[in-house]
Structure formats: C-alpha cells, structure tokens
Amino acid sequence: MPALTNLESMMSIAHNLGFPRIGAQRELKKAVEAYWKGELDEAGLRNIGQGLRKQNWLLQQQAGLNFIPVGDFSYYDQMLNTTALLGAAPSRFGFTDGALTLAEYFTLARGDKNNFALEMTKWFDTNYHYLVPEFLHTTQFKLGSEWLFEEVAEAQALGIKAKPVLIGPLTYLYLGKEKQGGKEKQADLNRLHLLPKLIPVYQQILARLKTQGVEWVQIDEPALVLDLPQAWVDTLASTYAALSQDSPKILLATYFNSVEEHAEILKALPVAGLHIDLVRAPQQAECFLRHFPEDKILSAGIVDGRNIWRCNLAAALQTLQTLRATLGDRLWIAPSCSLLHVPVDLAQETKLDQTIENRMLKSWLAFAIQKLAEVATLTQGVTLGKEAIAPQLAQANAALESRVYSPKVHNQAVRQRAAAVTPLAEQRQSPFVERIVTQQARLKLPAFPTTTIGSFPQTADIRTARADYKHGRMSTAQYHTKMRAEIEQVVRQQEALGLDVLVHGEAERNDMVEYFGEQLQGFAFTEHGWVQSYGSRCVKPPIIYGDVSRPHPMTVEWAQYAQSITDKPMKGMLTGPITILQWSFVRNDIPRAETALQIALAIRDEVHDLERAGIAIIQIDEAAMREGLPLKKIDWPFYLAWSVRAFKVCSAGVNNATQIHTHMCYSEFNDILPAIAAMDADVITIETSRSDMELLDAFHAFHYPNDIGPGVYDIHSPRVPSTEEMLRLIHKALAVIPAQRLWINPDCGLKTRGWPEVKTALQNMVAVARELRSSAVV
C-alpha cells in the first residue's frame, strides 16, 4: 500500500465527499431543460456543465479543502453516470456502443417512443431519486463513457487537488435489479454473480486514474450500512484486494448509518482509508478506534451533510480531539456524506436579514458552502488547538443558545394537544368492508374508476400569476379570480376526457410540501434553498424550526369551489405528515415522531374542514412513507409504529361515507405491506409502470385488503404510452388484484408535464377503462 505523503503526515486533512451540482441559481436545471426543448445545443449544455464544475471546485478550494471531489457532477444522476461509465446500458435500448452519447444518456433517464425509462427509486432514506441499473444474465461491462477522465483532466488543469468519486461495485450491483430476458427467468439471476465481470472494468478505471496522476480516489459503498446478506459481505475482501492492485490510494466511503458490524472486515481491507458517518452513527467511532491500522487514515464525517442546522462546533471538536488522540495526523475531516442533499449557499438568503427574528433563524443554519467552512474550521481547530478557532466557537455557541431558548421554537399548547391524543383518535368508525359499501352508495362510481393523482400542468402563466401575487403585483381578489379560472379549465378538461373522480389541479400550489408549510406555524422558507430531487427536478424544502400547528384552513376554499362547478366527485388534496416531515429540513432538537404527530394533528383539522365542506373523497399523499424507513431492520418497528399512527391520526376522524385515499411513489413496498395495510386508507395509488407492475406481486402475496390504483403510465417521462401498453399493464394488475378493487390512474401528479401529452395519455387511459368495463372482466 502506498505510503502517506508529507502533506498528510503533517496535519489533519479537510475534504468533501460531493457538492450540489445544480448551481446556486439552478443553472443546470435550466440548461438541461432548454436542451430537452431544443433551445440549447449539446455544446451549449456541456459548456454550462463545465462552468458549474469549475465554479464548484474553486469554491471548495477557496474554502480550504485539501482534496476536492471530482466525478460527483452529473447531468441527471450519479448512478446513471456509473451505468454510462461501465458501458452497462440495458440492451433493450439498442445502444451497442459502450460509450453513450448525451442524447442516449437522457433516453435511459426519460425513455422514448419505443422504450420506457429506467426505473427510479429513492437513494437510501433521502428524497433524492436514482435510476436503477438493470441486469440480465447476458449483461456485460466494458469501459464506456470518458466523462470522468475528462473531468479529472479539467480539474487538474485548474490546479485542483482532485479526488475522483466512484459508486463502488457492491453498491452498484446491490441497488440494481434483475430483469427477465429471453428464456431466462428473473429469479434465476443473482446480481452478485455479475461481480467477476464488473471488477476488471473497475480495475481499468482505477488504472486510468492512476496514469492521470490521481493520488486518492473515493469509492462510495453506502450499501454497507444496510442489512446486507452475508454473501455480499464475504466478497468485500477479495473485491478490494483486486481493486487496490494498480490503483491510486482508495478511500472507502460509507454514510447514512453505522457500519460497526463490519468494522473488523473494513479495517483489514487493503485500502488506504475509511470514511464513516459520525452524524447519523456517532457510536461507531469507538469500534473503529480499537486497533485501527497504522497504515490507514480514518475520515470522520462530523458535519451533517443531510440537514441545514449549524454544526455544534464545540461538541464536534471534542469528538475530533478524541479521535486525534489515537489517530494523530491520520485523521481526515469531512461532512457526513455528499452535500448533494442541502442547498448551495445561505448567503443568498438576503430576505432573512430584514428582521431580527429572521436574522436569528439564519444564524442557526448552514448550507453547503457554510458546511465547507465548518469542515475547514474544525480541521484548523483539531490541528492547531481550540484557541485557533475561538471566535468561530463563540459564534456557533451563541447561535445554538439562541435556538434553545427561542420562544419561536416552543409552543406549549401544541405539545399539550399532542400529548393528549388517545388510541380512539386513530380509528375509523367501521372496518373497510363496511365503509366501502357506504362510499359506493354515495359516490356511484363505475367499475375501474379513473382518476389522477392531483396536480395538472403548471404552465408559465400559472407560475407568473403566483409570483405576481407573492410580490404584490396582483391583488388577492385578482389572484383568486385567476386561480378559479385555472381550476374551472382543469375541471372542464377532466369532464371532457371522461375521468370519474376529478381533482382541482393544484394551480395555487408551488410544491406539495412547501404549500402547506407556508400556512403552518413552525415552518420557515428560503428563497434559493433548492435541492435536486431527480434529474432536472429541484425542490425547496421548508425548514421546520419549531412546534407545528394550523392557524387556519389551507385548501378548503379551492376544493369547495372545484366541487361547486361539477357533479362528479372532487378529491380534496392534502400532503401527509410523514411526507411533510421527510421532505422538509426537520428540527434536530426533538424526536421526529413528536414533530410528525404535531403535523398529523394540523392535517386532521384540515380533513375535518374538508369533510364539513362536502368533499366526499380526501387524498392524503404519503409518497415518502417508505423513504423514511430506517436503513437497519432493527429500527423498523419503532418507525412504522409512529409513522402509521401519524397517518391514522390525521385521516381517521371522518365518517364512513368519506373516502380516504393515499398515494405512494418510487419505493419498494414489499417489506412494509402490513404497515401500509394498517394505515387503513380506503384507496391506495402507487407507482408501478416503470417496474412493469412488479411491485404488485407483493400486494398479491400479502392479500392487500383495500382498493388499489396501480399507475398505468410514467409521468416522469414525456413519452405517451399507447392504449395497448396500458391495457397490458392492467391485465398484469388484474392477475393479482380483484377487478372490483382496481382503480386506474397515472403513476404520479402531472405538474411537470405539458398539456398536449397529458390529454393524449389520459384519453388513452380512459379508453382502457371503458374497454375493460365492456369486456367480461367486470
């Protein structure tokens, strides 16, 4: 193993695992979408990408980092980049050359008229979505796209101390999926058996990087924090023995949870360093310190890469000093994980400087650039002593104390109400088999009822109206008139299409979480706090800083108006407590279960008001229920208990005749179906089209008791599936779901799509439902 350099032997090293790639003003999003629309050519898109990379590298260099990640940039997704690098595009796309063009790369992500896109699911327990690699028995790997090597050369030309970042081979395979091909059965393929084919390509990549003069390479193996089957763990030693043969020094990075159960194996690997997450799993430091090899460095992920709260520098420094007492200068300091999951720069939030209260809130926060400063400060403190960072310590401590004692954070009435919740508040009046009879009598829906998930296209005109209203350029009366016109247009379109259960389209909503957070107490908002969710889709998560309550109704006016202009059932659309929790930056000073219950009580009030307003169907989206599941199975029962309780608290107080829907998307449900059934929603709609209805196998095996609406087309792709394609999926669904309990709907909301494709797709969907009703299936 190569010896440590003089630089590394003199001081602790500050480094980063990854940086947000979208740009502080979402420059990448805008460029990619312009390219898709034909408004920007490939050269223009690549120029913008190169400029963003340069900007990000120089920011990190100026922050004082010793090693800077390269290869964390992507035009869509890092797992898709890995698929391109490994020449592993699925054969069904017909791309025979290992090196994908940019157009082919985006086809994998978005599909085309002949192919549905790669399946998408959540990256561990984050709100980031990755594109799932597909594997067949015949899958081959070969060195593919040259982008990584080109980016390393770019960085080196700028004088950047580049640390290339790779998704590790075990994580890449483990997060992929077997697919059926030819005569082979899907179940016959074990992804782990592809590892011998994969390792030689990783060896080529590492050898190429070494010839480029790369000193360290970061290989991310976050799959190690999961409950991996023993066979996967057993391959670690041989895999990394092979990878380290002709390679730069390898920093094996884990994050999002503890890997202490693998500590002895990891310490014995022939790698030059290990990174562990000491924010999510601080307890694991002890087992790694015991007999830590003298020829390795330990990278301490001590600054939270997942949340926006300022680091407690004093506590972090104390932890690092304990580590340094054993490791000496073999201690590296970093964020816990890639900073992909936080906004770019708090300095952009100038509106938070306008009042004393907001300035106080701002003092509690740190975005990516500020987190780099915290890493550099801690590195200086652990190397030179506490006195060297005394001003920063004093400032951080003052901010922490102001948060602890702020009256903005604590609301005793909210806490007392949550403490008084009894099991009675969690129960519907009657079991589903009785409720559904009452609901059918009220709603009079046909077989295979059709609906959508909630949102309709958010046009430039709608966004302009919201912005004008927000900035005072449009009066409240004008805004309400505009939104009512948009609602009526959406209702008439749905009536013309022949949908059975309508939605109001959500024109007034900027985001399914932000909209509610803006009307709840205990939430704060940024102007530029954008985070990538998938591809070009960015979200601006609210900040939950205090106890949560609902001061007034949030959706009733819009739902009531929509119902007043149609005879068809109108769904009231709400976001559930767990999704609001997961898709916000959540306070870290009380347990998440407490915050979830507070949100649930606020949503419960809204549900009651919708019911009193005559809304017969209320959808409470819990898209993030599975996403919030802890990564270790030992922690599942506690999470499922409080998350299911939160949903039932917000949904259970209605009459039998009021139908409760929920929606979940881009998650694997197989292992939590009992908990989903315990939520006791009358109808659940789920994403299934990208998996070709594979997700429904679990619902069949479990005998899910209530109604199900499996998505029949993928709304995250611009392609419009034919009626034949939708009908094929529905027949697959009918093999596992009784016809009388099957709804027909898209995978998710239609907010990001255009009206022409939406109309055509929904026309096809309604035609499928009508064909089924006229057949012998019913």
Side-chain angles (χ1 to χ4, degrees):
M1 188 180 304
L4 297 175
T5 65
N6 289 335
L7 172 66
E8 294 158 15
S9 65
M10 289 188 294
M11 62 177 291
S12 291
I13 293 293
H15 75 113
N16 186 24
L17 274 65
F19 196 78
R21 52 203 177 222
I22 59 173
Q25 299 292 332
R26 295 179 293 161
E27 294 92 332
L28 185 61
K29 167 193 171 65
K30 296 168 187 174
V32 166
E33 291 179 353
Y35 170 78
W36 290 341
K37 294 174 184 175
E39 298 168 356
L40 183 69
D41 63 14
E42 181 173 327
L45 177 58
R46 288 190 180 278
N47 284 338
I48 290 171
Q50 185 174 8
L52 282 170
R53 291 193 294 272
K54 177 180 178 180
Q55 175 181 290
N56 292 345
W57 293 332
L58 293 177
L59 278 172
Q60 293 174 83
Q61 185 183 62
Q62 292 159 8
L65 299 190
N66 303 101
F67 287 99
I68 294 166
V70 174
D72 54 336
F73 177 86
S74 171
Y75 286 107
Y76 201 98
D77 166 55
Q78 68 266 19
M79 282 289 278
L80 181 58
N81 274 32
T82 306
T83 293
L85 177 65
L86 298 172
S91 58
R92 66 181 175 86
F93 286 90
F95 303 147
T96 54
D97 187 1
L100 294 176
T101 66
L102 197 59
E104 291 170 340
Y105 171 89
F106 284 127
T107 298
L108 296 183
R110 307 177 74 225
D112 60 21
K113 64 180 181 180
N114 298 316
N115 291 283
F116 52 86
L118 290 176
E119 188 174 343
M120 185 189 295
T121 195
K122 297 297 176 70
W123 179 249
F124 296 84
D125 58 350
T126 75
N127 186 32
Y128 178 80
H129 305 65
Y130 75 92
L131 290 168
V132 180
E134 294 180 7
F135 302 122
L136 301 171
H137 290 79
T138 55
T139 295
Q140 299 294 323
F141 303 99
K142 56 186 175 182
L143 200 54
S145 299
E146 294 279 314
W147 302 333
L148 174 64
F149 310 114
E150 294 166 356
E151 290 172 17
V152 168
E154 283 177 31
Q156 291 171 331
L158 293 169
I160 299 296
K161 190 82 168 177
K163 173 167 57 68
V165 178
L166 296 168
I167 301 291
L170 295 179
T171 294
Y172 180 72
L173 287 178
Y174 193 76
L175 296 185
K177 265 193 172 182
E178 299 94 344
K179 293 290 181 179
Q180 188 170 330
K183 297 180 181 178
E184 313 290 0
K185 291 183 179 179
Q186 178 181 333
D188 293 339
L189 174 61
N190 182 336
R191 300 188 302 283
L192 189 56
H193 293 166
L194 296 174
L195 187 60
K197 293 183 182 181
L198 188 56
I199 287 175
V201 185
Y202 271 86
Q203 289 175 316
Q204 292 178 56
I205 294 165
L206 292 168
R208 280 276 299 274
L209 292 172
K210 187 174 181 180
T211 63
Q212 287 187 273
V214 168
E215 184 179 359
W216 281 88
V217 62
Q218 173 186 317
I219 301 184
D220 288 0
E221 292 284 16
L224 293 173
V225 307
L226 304 174
D227 296 316
L228 280 181
Q230 189 59 42
W232 289 77
V233 178
D234 290 343
T235 65
L236 265 172
S238 60
T239 297
Y240 280 88
L243 297 187
S244 63
Q245 288 176 7
D246 184 25
S247 168
K249 287 177 282 189
I250 294 174
L251 175 68
L252 179 62
T254 66
Y255 39 81
F256 298 153
N257 213 310
S258 171
V259 287
E260 56 189 310
E261 65 270 35
H262 307 312
E264 297 310 312
I265 297 173
L266 291 171
K267 287 187 287 188
L269 291 180
V271 297
L274 300 171
H275 172 86
I276 57 175
D277 186 337
L278 297 183
V279 174
R280 280 291 188 93
Q283 76 285 354
Q284 65 179 323
E286 183 179 350
C287 66
F288 276 93
L289 282 183
R290 285 196 302 268
H291 310 298
F292 193 77
E294 294 183 1
D295 61 347
K296 287 183 173 59
I297 64 96
L298 182 68
S299 169
I302 198 71
V303 172
D304 193 349
R306 292 278 298 271
N307 213 335
I308 43 73
W309 303 108
R310 192 169 186 163
C311 182
N312 184 335
L313 291 180
L317 183 60
Q318 186 174 0
T319 297
L320 292 172
Q321 287 171 332
T322 301
L323 294 172
R324 187 174 170 88
T326 298
L327 298 169
D329 295 315
R330 291 180 295 121
L331 173 66
W332 285 22
I333 300 165
S336 58
C337 61
S338 170
L339 297 176
L340 171 72
H341 309 288
V342 296
V344 177
D345 188 8
L346 183 63
Q348 291 191 109
E349 303 303 326
T350 54
K351 285 193 174 180
L352 291 179
D353 297 321
Q354 294 176 4
T355 68
I356 293 174
E357 281 194 340
N358 284 342
R359 284 201 297 273
M360 181 183 294
L361 172 63
K362 189 175 181 180
S363 75
W364 303 342
L365 308 178
F367 292 176
I369 289 175
Q370 289 70 43
K371 288 177 184 294
L372 296 177
E374 291 176 334
V375 169
T377 295
L378 289 167
T379 305
Q380 185 180 15
V382 80
T383 302
L384 302 178
K386 187 176 181 179
E387 298 75 16
I389 60 168
Q392 295 96 320
L393 286 172
Q395 187 183 56
N397 187 60
L400 182 65
E401 286 194 1
S402 73
R403 183 181 170 205
V404 169
Y405 296 110
S406 171
K408 286 172 64 71
V409 172
H410 308 289
N411 185 322
Q412 196 59 34
V414 171
R415 297 189 175 197
Q416 288 172 349
R417 185 187 181 194
V421 173
T422 66
L424 187 62
E426 306 169 30
Q427 301 300 320
R428 292 292 296 269
Q429 289 180 342
S430 304
F432 171 76
V433 291
E434 297 177 21
R435 299 195 308 262
I436 194 65
V437 174
T438 307
Q439 292 163 13
Q440 289 170 343
R442 180 184 186 185
L443 298 171
K444 298 179 175 58
L445 296 175
F448 304 107
T450 56
T451 189
T452 63
I453 303 305
S455 60
F456 269 81
Q458 296 248 327
T459 63
D461 189 40
I462 289 173
R463 292 193 296 271
T464 298
R466 279 206 312 263
D468 286 346
Y469 178 58
K470 183 177 181 180
H471 294 98
R473 296 187 294 267
M474 181 182 284
S475 70
T476 298
Q478 290 171 324
Y479 177 71
H480 282 220
T481 298
K482 173 66 176 174
M483 290 299 105
R484 286 187 171 209
E486 292 291 343
I487 289 170
E488 182 164 10
Q489 186 261 340
V490 166
V491 169
R492 300 302 172 226
Q493 289 284 358
Q494 293 173 87
E495 289 177 329
L497 287 163
L499 290 161
D500 301 306
V501 173
L502 311 189
V503 297
H504 79 286
E506 303 180 15
E508 80 286 359
R509 303 186 190 185
N510 43 13
D511 174 82
M512 64 182 289
V513 172
E514 185 175 359
Y515 173 79
F516 290 95
E518 285 176 337
Q519 300 180 80
L520 294 170
Q521 291 184 342
F523 283 74
F525 294 86
T526 61
E527 286 184 275
H528 306 289
W530 297 101
V531 178
Q532 186 181 19
S533 177
Y534 66 87
S536 68
R537 169 75 170 148
C538 300
V539 295
K540 191 152 55 70
I543 299 168
I544 304 178
Y545 68 85
D547 293 324
V548 178
S549 61
R550 186 197 75 146
H552 52 72
M554 302 178 286
T555 67
V556 176
E557 174 189 356
W558 308 117
Q560 197 168 28
Y561 173 72
Q563 184 63 84
S564 73
I565 59 174
T566 183
D567 294 328
K568 291 195 172 186
M570 177 64 58
K571 282 196 287 189
M573 301 300 304
L574 304 174
T575 303
I578 304 306
T579 299
I580 291 176
L581 186 82
Q582 281 293 125
W583 293 359
S584 300
F585 290 120
V586 185
R587 56 192 296 185
N588 59 359
D589 60 328
I590 66 172
R592 293 166 70 85
E594 292 185 25
T595 303
L597 183 57
Q598 292 177 5
I599 300 171
L601 288 167
I603 300 299
R604 182 185 179 93
D605 293 342
E606 189 73 13
V607 168
H608 286 171
D609 283 345
L610 284 168
E611 184 178 50
R612 282 192 287 267
I615 303 300
I617 301 178
I618 302 170
Q619 181 171 308
I620 306 171
D621 289 339
E622 280 296 19
M625 176 68 76
R626 176 61 173 80
E627 171 191 314
L629 194 68
L631 300 177
K632 305 283 190 185
K633 288 185 178 179
I634 194 172
D635 300 320
W636 287 12
F638 178 66
Y639 165 78
L640 291 172
W642 64 256
S643 60
V644 170
R645 182 191 185 212
F647 182 85
K648 292 172 74 174
V649 164
C650 75
S651 65
V654 295
N655 297 318
N656 283 344
T658 299
Q659 190 170 82
I660 296 293
H661 290 219
T662 191
H663 173 68
M664 297 182 180
C665 58
Y666 296 105
S667 293
E668 299 286 350
F669 305 112
N670 308 32
D671 39 18
I672 63 164
L673 276 175
I676 293 175
M679 292 166 66
D680 200 22
D682 298 302
V683 182
I684 179 173
T685 53
I686 55 174
E687 175 275 323
T688 52
S689 68
R690 282 201 180 198
S691 69
D692 205 39
M693 294 286 174
E694 286 176 13
L695 285 174
L696 288 184
D697 292 343
F699 282 81
H700 174 63
F702 176 70
H703 299 295
Y704 185 76
N706 300 6
D707 284 10
I708 304 176
V712 297
Y713 79 93
D714 173 28
I715 66 87
H716 293 86
S717 169
R719 70 184 294 268
V720 175
S722 64
T723 54
E724 291 77 15
E725 184 175 329
M726 292 185 192
L727 194 60
R728 180 185 65 82
L729 290 176
I730 287 295
H731 280 297
K732 289 188 74 170
L734 283 167
V736 295
I737 301 172
Q740 66 271 23
R741 293 200 286 110
L742 187 66
W743 286 62
I744 297 181
N745 47 262
D747 267 347
C748 202
L750 302 167
K751 173 182 176 180
T752 60
R753 302 268 57 91
W755 269 110
E757 65 194 75
V758 164
K759 289 180 184 178
T760 305
L762 292 180
Q763 283 170 351
N764 291 349
M765 190 183 83
V766 171
V768 166
R770 288 173 175 163
E771 181 173 343
L772 289 167
R773 289 169 197 158
S774 65
S775 70
V777 172
V778 181

